[in-house]
């Protein structure tokens, strides 16, 4: 299956909002000892302000790499990308986005609260503002009693939640999240999903979200980008027909199952056990 | 993408070496020049700057011999002298190399044995470990002559007393690294072996030994450099039996600065090549277990 | 053959030429002695080697031998090779020193490791403090005479046969220097002598071996005295460091020859008066005394007499 | 019950042997080789006591730190007692090896001399050289981590120099910097510089790739990167160098004193007193040096535990 | 809700099979610096030969700990446990079970094939037997082409599959599996689930399985043990009404959704975000 995205208008689109991310014919090749790895190939994608876009696809299809290109952690080898109308580098320097990594990446020598403070310290926020933000978001992720603990005193899931709180504290325009809930159990994950939806609905921020879970992608997204490996490319972009205001109950609806089935089919198309 | 010139390894190393040599020449001019001026003044002779610059690089007992003087002496004693001659630096290097290698081998074995004992026996750890550390705070030079004399009294002479001192310095890094390495075995791997009901020797040979290897090699590089220091230090009190230490000593005894420097140059070449050999061994060993260089 | 080991006080050099000559020329072999010579070094204390059994006979200076004897190690002089002291203090005229009275406030380089006793006695006799204060400043001189070239010391210790030559080689001329020989200052002590453990002298077989050894050594010294150049070459043969030079060893041999004991009984006989003079010098120092009481039985002529009788 | 009795017996045997080694007359082992029996029982008893003490301490996670010194202390008592027994029992000449009791006496009788030596060698030469060497190694590592050029040039040089037996430069330093402590400090500076440089550099570069990315996403300035991630990450390596250097420094100073000193200092004392056959004084000086070294090392290790409480090596350390 | 398991007969039960695991009033308290942690409290559970039992519950509820107690990697502080009629220690010494850890735990200095050989080397199997077992099970998990690769040359999911193959090679009576499929993407996971079911059905081994995923628990298990944290305890044991012979299609049936809902309810009952 060849990607049919370029020919038509970019599929990810929401009415009357400005373009947040514009990717044109973007490719990225890693040079390694074993020869070049085509991590991303001919990516075309537009994400508008207020969208909630999920990347889904098998391991190694380039989801993380694409997110890193947006965050200016990696540079494309061909094609172009604009973030909020500027280069990714300028967007980063303007502190436009918050990034949640696949691993918690907490500093082991700082308490949870002090870890959350790092980005605010760096952008020079007042101490009072720092404390109130930390209180707010640590409570939101259910870690209100763990301010003074060190990362290694928490379970993996709790660490991951702390890292989400850290990204939320600076309330960025754009949230880039790389499988943020991979380490959580289903119930906590449901809870975190709903919290994330709440924040997104309230603030109308843009979210780019990487996940392995079809259910999660369906539950959260306005647009689902299905990717495929070797070389990493977009095989399909699905716009969600579900209402913007979502609840967990949605999961038992026909529309939900249908969308899930559509994604599963798109994934299975390209998938063979490696 | 092209790497800019100043980010190329060879360029950076070359520049550094050139800078070091340039500073060396300047320093030689400064130090030897002052000495020359002092001599002129003592003899109440007048002098010109050009005289100083000319002579500073050819002083017989320089404060700092310029690089070419050192290299000349080195070439003379290495290539233009029969290696069997006592005037050949190669001869002395071999003397030192022998006690270094013997001491290094003894130190490695001893260090590994102590580490294995410490890791497997709590009492040994709690009673012995602090003294392993304290042993290294004993100034080795102080006990070097004592060791030489005591072993000499037991009619153990030749390279063995020197090797003992080399061993004394080199077992310590091995013990420390090895204990750390044996302990650094992944807990999960240890538990896995527990579920297989593996014996402690199976545990050692299938897990611990491998987890220790990177630490062991890091330590061996330090240990072989320490063994060389030990061998040289041990040659100071027994000063007249050859070796690079004896060269340093006799150079100092007769005010032969150039001889000191060329012995030092030889010692650094020897040290660097010994460390290099260990890292080659490390690469081979690690490649055998599948790591890429 | 009897096996004997001789521990030297210092590295292989013409200072010990007689023993090497005797070894090379087979004098020891002729006497039925199988001798091993152990060179010394900066941190080898011959007395310690003797106590540990690493050597049967050692070369040592009398001040340190007597001091060690007072510590309870029974070592005895069985023969005295050097009759005169070669030690001196070599000073720069430019430092303003003209006589020992000018030492006050000056910096003097001295050898330690048991070689400092004659110096300490001398200073004590002159009334100088050596531990700072208003006396003299003492440096533990390394192995060479550099301090005098680099202006770190006003005077350095030298041996007539060794370091003095180095001072001259280094570019200083005799007229720039002023010398204070210990012999001339009346503080000379006996230098290179041969010592053994006291209890071994009770064994007649041992005494016999010592006597043969002494006889051969004396012969070696006499040969060396007559043939300084060949003797120097023999020493060079035995030098393992390869650092000694021919010029230097020939000069050393020539100077050493002047110090060999000149008593009527020949090299190796310890003159009781010379011994007594040494003891008096050492006893005379009141601060930091080297020895505190007259030593007893610190030397014996038994071996020398036996050697002469062979 | 039986084990309590055995323990009591062990304590008794240890005490008897210690007492015997101190009070019996010279040469008692030569006279009555049966004393060997007691010595063997003594070693067995002490081993048993150490075993029990270790087991007891391991079961007591909250026991006072000081208690942990008991077992190594006992180990030292064993070694010293064997030493004392053999030197006295076979009347080994003190010129060769003095008995521990002689060394202790020398320690007490020569307080002022030992203190003056300590001041000269440790408080002046070692401290000055150590501080200058470590600080400059740290600073140069900062420069190297910022400039790829410097890093590429200095690291091979550093590796080369750290293989040089630095003691060899001691005679040169004495020639350049004179007889007093500055020449010793100079040797120490050269000896300690490279371990600190290489370790700090490795530490600064060992920053987790993820943490590096994180700082990048925050568009942190390099000073902020330094204090938030690089310095804490480098601390374990820096402490490593501090500890290695603590042992190197003392050796360096004493070796350098071998090539010329004023007539004070620990290296001077050792070599002079060997020449004077005062071996008790030699060993007393060695004891002072070992104490100074061990205490410095211990203090650094304690500080390390304090500052690196978060590091896996400290958290996983045996109690 | 109090656990109603003790009063009635142990709920996990299959007809006419001997008891494989019997746990009575078992508790486990960890002593930590911050005071005791009640990881397991009053656990009662019987597992019979041939059962496929899943533990499910939020993070930190003691699933891993319970599995570790069974494997003699942890010792209870109260109560009793019998494994195959003997103590866990004897069961371990008899090499009764195979354990799959949450992480792959492969030895990085051995190739994949050599890693699978470890347990067989230890129990002294012949080289020929080793090779044939390794071939068989590496093929089963889809790694037939990766015998000679080193672990770090494989993706996380592939590593996890290798670790499963390693446990299967010794064909143990009892498989203890701690979230073995957590690191896999959904499609691969489905595949592995079906392979596991196939092996279980063919060999009639007993499986104790820890999972975060309700769907996975429903798909695989004969019995589902729902656990709850602080203190870790069993809140419900559900016997699956689904047929023993399962297919992926089962997921779209009403019975499946009903069981999933029942588990979700049991979980939610006790769950509040921590
Ligand atoms: N720094 C790098 N150097 C070389 N190859 C890389 C690098 N980073 C990623 N790759 C390769 O690029 C491809 C895409 O990797 P990426 O991490 O984006 O996958 P992913 O979709 O995020 O996978 P997962 O779901 O496992 O996280 C993979 O084949 C990977 O091996
Ligand atoms: N060695 C230990 N020391 C102290 N506490 C421990 C230890 N191991 C586990 N715990 C605690 O016991 C509780 C149960 O842990 P366990 O690992 O069994 O949870 P789990 O259900 O497997 O969680 P997850 O789904 O995150 O793997 C947790 O609160 C944990 O913090
Ligand atoms: C530490 C030391 N001790 C002595 C000397 C000088 N020296 C050279 S030969 C000789 C006679 C001894 O046999 C003496 C004293 C020195 N340079 N260094
Ligand atoms: Mg990824
Ligand atoms: Mg778990």
């Amino acid at each position: 299956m060849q990607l049919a995205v370029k020919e038509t208008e970019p599929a990810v689109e929401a009415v009357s909002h400005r373009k947040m991310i514009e990717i044109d014919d973007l490719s990225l090749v890693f040079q390694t000892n074993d020869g070049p790895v085509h991590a991303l190939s001919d990516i075309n994608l537009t994400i508008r302000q207020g969208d909630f876009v999920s990347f889904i696809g098998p391991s190694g299809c380039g989801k993380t790499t694409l997110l890193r290109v947006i965050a200016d952690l990696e540079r494309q080898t061909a094609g172009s990308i604009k973030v909020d109308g500027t280069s990714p580098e300028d967007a980063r320097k303007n502190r436009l986005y918050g990034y949640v990594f696949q691993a918690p990446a907490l500093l082991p020598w700082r308490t949870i609260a002090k870890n959350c403070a790092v980005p605010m310290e760096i952008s020079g926020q007042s101490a009072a503002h720092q404390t109130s933000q930390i209180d707010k978001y640590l409570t939101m992720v259910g870690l209100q009693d763990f301010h003074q603990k060190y990362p290694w005193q928490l379970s993996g899931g709790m660490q991951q939640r702390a890292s989400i709180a850290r990204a939320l504290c600076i309330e960025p325009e754009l949230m880039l999240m790389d499988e943020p809930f991979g380490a959580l159990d289903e119930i906590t994950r449901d809870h975190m999903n709903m919290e994330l939806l709440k924040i997104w609905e309230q603030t109308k921020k843009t979210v780019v979200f990487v996940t392995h879970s079809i259910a999660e992608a369906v539950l959260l997204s306005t647009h689902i980008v299905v990717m495929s490996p070797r070389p990493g490319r977009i095989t399909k972009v699905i716009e969600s027909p579900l209402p913007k205001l979502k609840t967990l109950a949605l999961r038992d609806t026909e529309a939900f199952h249908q969308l899930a089935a559509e994604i599963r089919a798109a994934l299975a198309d390209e998938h063979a056990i490696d | 993408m092209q790497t800019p010139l100043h980010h190329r390894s060879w360029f950076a190393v070359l520049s550094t070496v050139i800078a070091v040599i340039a500073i060396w020449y300047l320093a030689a001019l400064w130090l030897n020049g002052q000495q020359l001026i002092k001599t002129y003044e003592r003899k109440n002779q007048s002098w010109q700057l050009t005289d100083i610059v000319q002579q500073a690089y050819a002083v017989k007992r320089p404060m700092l011999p310029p690089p070419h003087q050192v290299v000349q002496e080195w070439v003379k004693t290495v290539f233009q002298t029969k290696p069997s001659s006592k005037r050949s630096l190669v001869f002395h290097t071999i003397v030192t190399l022998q006690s270094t290698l013997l001491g290094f081998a003894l130190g490695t074995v001893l260090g590994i044995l102590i580490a294995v004992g410490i890791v497997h026996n709590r009492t040994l750890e709690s009673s012995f470990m602090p003294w392993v550390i304290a042993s290294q705070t004993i100034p080795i030079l102080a006990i070097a002559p004592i060791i030489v004399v005591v072993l000499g009294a037991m009619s153990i002479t030749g390279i063995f007393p020197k090797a003992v001192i080399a061993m004394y310095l080199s077992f310590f890094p091995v013990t420390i690294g090895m204990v750390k390495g044996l302990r650094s075995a992944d807990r999960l791997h240890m538990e896995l072996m527990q579920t297989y009901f593996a014996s402690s020797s199976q545990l050692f040979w299938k897990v611990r030994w491998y987890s220790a290897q990177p630490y062991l090699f890091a330590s061996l590089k330090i240990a072989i450099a320490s063994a060389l220091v030990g061998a040289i230090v041990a040659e100071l009190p027994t000063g007249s039996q050859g070796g690079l230490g004896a060269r340093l000593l006799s150079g100092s005894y007769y005010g032969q600065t150039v001889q000191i420097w060329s012995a030092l140059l030889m010692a650094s070449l020897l040290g660097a090549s010994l460390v290099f050999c260990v890292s080659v061994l490390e690469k081979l060993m690690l490649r055998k277990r599948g790591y890429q260089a | 053959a009897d096996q004997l080991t001789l521990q030297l006080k210092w590295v292989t050099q013409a200072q010990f030429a007689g023993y090497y000559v005797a070894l090379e020329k087979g004098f020891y072999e002729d006497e039925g002695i199988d001798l091993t010579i152990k060179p010394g070094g900066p941190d080898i204390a011959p007395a310690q080697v003797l106590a540990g059994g690493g050597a049967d006979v050692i070369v040592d200076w009398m001040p340190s031998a007597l001091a060690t004897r007072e510590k309870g190690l029974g070592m005895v002089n069985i023969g005295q090779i050097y009759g005169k002291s070669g030690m001196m203090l070599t000073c720069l005229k430019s430092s303003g020193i003209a006589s020992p009275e000018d030492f006050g406030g000056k910096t003097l380089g001295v050898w330690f490791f048991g070689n400092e006793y004659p110096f300490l006695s001398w200073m004590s006799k002159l009334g100088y403090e050596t531990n700072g204060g208003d006396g003299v400043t003492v440096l533990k001189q390394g192995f060479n005479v550099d301090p005098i070239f680099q202006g770190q010391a006003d005077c350095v210790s030298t041996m007539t046969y060794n370091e003095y030559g180095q001072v001259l080689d280094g570019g200083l001329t005799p007229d720039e220097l002023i010398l204070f020989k210990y012999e001339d200052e009346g503080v000379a002590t006996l230098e290179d002598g041969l010592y053994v453990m006291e209890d071994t002298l009770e064994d007649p077989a041992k005494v016999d071996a010592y006597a043969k050894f002494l006889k051969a050594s004396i012969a070696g010294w006499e040969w060396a005295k007559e043939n300084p150049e060949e003797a120097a070459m023999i020493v060079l043969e035995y030098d393992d460091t390869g650092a000694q030079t021919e010029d230097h060893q020939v000069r050393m041999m020539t100077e050493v020859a002047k110090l060999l004991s000149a008593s009527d009984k020949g090299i190796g006989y310890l003159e009781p008066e010379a011994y007594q003079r040494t003891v008096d010098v050492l006893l005379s120092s009141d601060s930091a005394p080297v020895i505190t009481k007259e030593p007893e039985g610190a030397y014996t002529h038994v071996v020398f007499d036996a050697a002469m009788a062979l | 019950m039986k084990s309590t009795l055995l323990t009591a017996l062990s304590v008794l045997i240890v005490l008897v042997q210690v007492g015997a080694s101190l009070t019996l007359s010279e040469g008692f082992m030569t006279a009555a080789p049966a004393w060997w029996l007691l010595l063997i029982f003594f070693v067995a008893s002490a081993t048993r006591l150490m075993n029990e003490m270790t087991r007891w301490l391991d079961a007591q996670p909250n026991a006072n730190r000081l208690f942990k010194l008991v077992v190594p202390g006992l180990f030292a008592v064993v070694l010293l007692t064997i030493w004392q027994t053999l030197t006295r029992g076979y009347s080994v000449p003190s010129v060769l090896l003095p008995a521990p009791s002689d060394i202790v006496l020398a320690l007490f009788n020569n307080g002022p001399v030992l203190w003056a030596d300590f001041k000269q060698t440790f408080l002046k030469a070692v401290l000055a050289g150590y501080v200058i060497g470590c600080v400059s190694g740290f600073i140069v590592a900062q420069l190297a981590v910022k400039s790829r050029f410097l890093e590429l040039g200095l690291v091979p040089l550093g590796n080369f120099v750290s293989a040089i037996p630095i003691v060899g430069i001691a005679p040169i330093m004495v020639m350049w910097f004179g007889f007093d402590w500055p020449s010793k400090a100079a040797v120490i500076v050269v000896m300690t510089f490279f371990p600190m440089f290489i370790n700090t550099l490795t530490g600064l570069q060992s920053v987790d790739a993820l943490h590096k990315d994180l700082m990048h996403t925050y568009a942190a300035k390099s000073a902020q990167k330094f204090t938030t991630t690089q310095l804490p990450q480098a601390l374990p390596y820096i402490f490593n160098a501090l500890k290695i250097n603590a042992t190197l420094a003392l050796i360096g100073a004493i070796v350098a004193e071998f090539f010329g000193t004023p007539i004070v200092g620990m290296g001077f004392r050792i070599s002079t007193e060997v020449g004077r056959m005062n071996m008790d004084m030699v060993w007393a000086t060695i004891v002072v040096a070992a104490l100074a070294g061990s205490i410095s090392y211990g203090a650094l290790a304690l500080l390390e535990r304090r500052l690196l409480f978060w590091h896996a090596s400290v958290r996983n350390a045996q109690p």
Side-chain angles (χ1 to χ4, degrees), chain B residues 114-133:
Chain B
I114 292 178
V116 171
I118 280 175
V119 168
H120 285 99
N121 184 329
R122 268 295 289 148
T123 309
L124 208 57
E125 181 193 2
S126 61
S127 60
F128 196 55
M129 194 59 176
W131 296 108
V132 169
I133 294 167

Side-chain angles (χ1 to χ4, degrees), chain C residues 13-292:
Chain C
Q13 57 181 3
Q15 181 189 359
F16 311 106
Y19 315 109
Y20 285 107
V21 166
L23 188 65
E24 177 72 17
K25 295 273 165 202
F27 298 168
Y28 291 119
E29 221 175 300
D30 295 344
E31 294 294 335
I33 297 290
D34 179 5
L35 184 78
T36 311
I37 299 182
K38 283 186 176 175
D43 255 2
I44 295 291
Q48 205 180 18
V49 179
L50 184 68
D56 303 290
V57 188
I58 62 169
V59 177
D60 206 354
W61 288 5
M62 188 167 279
S64 86
L66 293 181
T68 308
R69 192 175 164 81
E70 215 180 75
K71 300 250 148 54
L73 187 75
M75 48 193 277
V76 176
N77 182 308
I78 56 163
Q80 184 63 32
I81 304 299
Y82 284 23
K84 282 207 261 329
S85 159
M87 233 196 336
M88 55 188 184
L89 209 54
T90 302
C91 302
L92 280 175
K93 273 188 186 151
S94 58
S95 66
I97 295 174
S99 75
E101 281 75 59
D102 303 324
F103 285 160
K106 295 290 193 280
T107 303
L108 315 180
V110 177
W111 296 312
F112 278 76
F113 205 73
N115 300 323
E116 71 276 30
Y117 294 126
F119 173 81
L120 294 177
S121 298
W122 186 21
M123 288 303 122
S124 157
K125 190 176 153 202
L126 292 171
Y128 288 121
E129 285 276 334
T130 48
N131 297 322
D134 49 12
V136 294
T137 306
V138 177
L139 284 185
K140 180 196 156 196
Q141 182 174 325
F143 312 113
N144 58 42
V145 290
D146 276 349
I148 200 165
F149 293 116
Q150 282 148 20
Q152 292 166 335
D154 301 304
C155 306
V156 289
S157 296
T158 55
M159 303 301 287
T160 52
Y161 52 79
N162 188 0
E163 287 82 0
Y164 180 62
Q166 291 189 40
V167 174
L168 298 183
D169 286 349
L172 285 168
T173 48
D175 50 285
E176 289 174 285
L177 299 169
I178 177 161
L179 309 180
F180 301 95
K181 292 194 175 182
Y182 281 55
E183 285 287 348
D184 302 344
E185 300 298 325
V187 287
T189 52
L190 284 172
E191 290 166 5
D192 300 22
L194 296 168
Y195 295 80
V196 300
M197 288 300 283
E198 193 163 22
D199 47 4
T200 59
L201 289 172
E202 289 158 20
D203 177 358
K206 270 281 183 197
V207 174
D208 183 46
Y210 292 155
K212 290 172 178 163
F213 160 76
L214 187 58
K215 185 175 175 214
S217 301
I218 292 169
W221 275 111
E222 268 158 359
W223 193 93
K225 195 173 164 182
E226 300 309 318
N227 311 287
E229 265 154 45
E230 287 100 319
M233 292 314 289
I234 290 174
V235 169
L236 280 181
E237 285 285 303
Y238 281 91
D239 166 39
D240 276 348
T241 63
Q244 311 280 14
T245 59
E246 195 181 328
D247 287 356
H248 188 73
Q249 292 307 312
V250 172
R251 183 169 63 200
M252 187 182 290
M253 188 58 235
T254 321
E255 288 298 324
V256 159
K258 299 178 189 162
L259 301 178
L260 292 174
S261 72
S263 82
D264 338 329
K265 301 210 175 197
I267 298 176
Y269 181 72
L270 173 60
E271 294 281 1
E273 306 86 73
Y275 164 80
Q276 198 53 49
R277 213 169 39 240
T278 300
V279 170
D280 291 342
V281 168
L282 295 179
L283 275 175
S284 70
S285 48
D286 23 54
S287 66
V290 175
I291 51 175
T292 52

Side-chain angles (χ1 to χ4, degrees), chain B residues 43 87 92 153 240 252-254, chain C residues 10 39 52 143-144 162 171 244:
Chain B
K43 298 202 193 300
R87 278 163 206 276
H92 295 284
S240 55
S252 173
Y253 184 25
Y254 299 110
Chain C
W10 191 249
F143 312 113
N144 58 42
N162 188 0
Q244 311 280 14

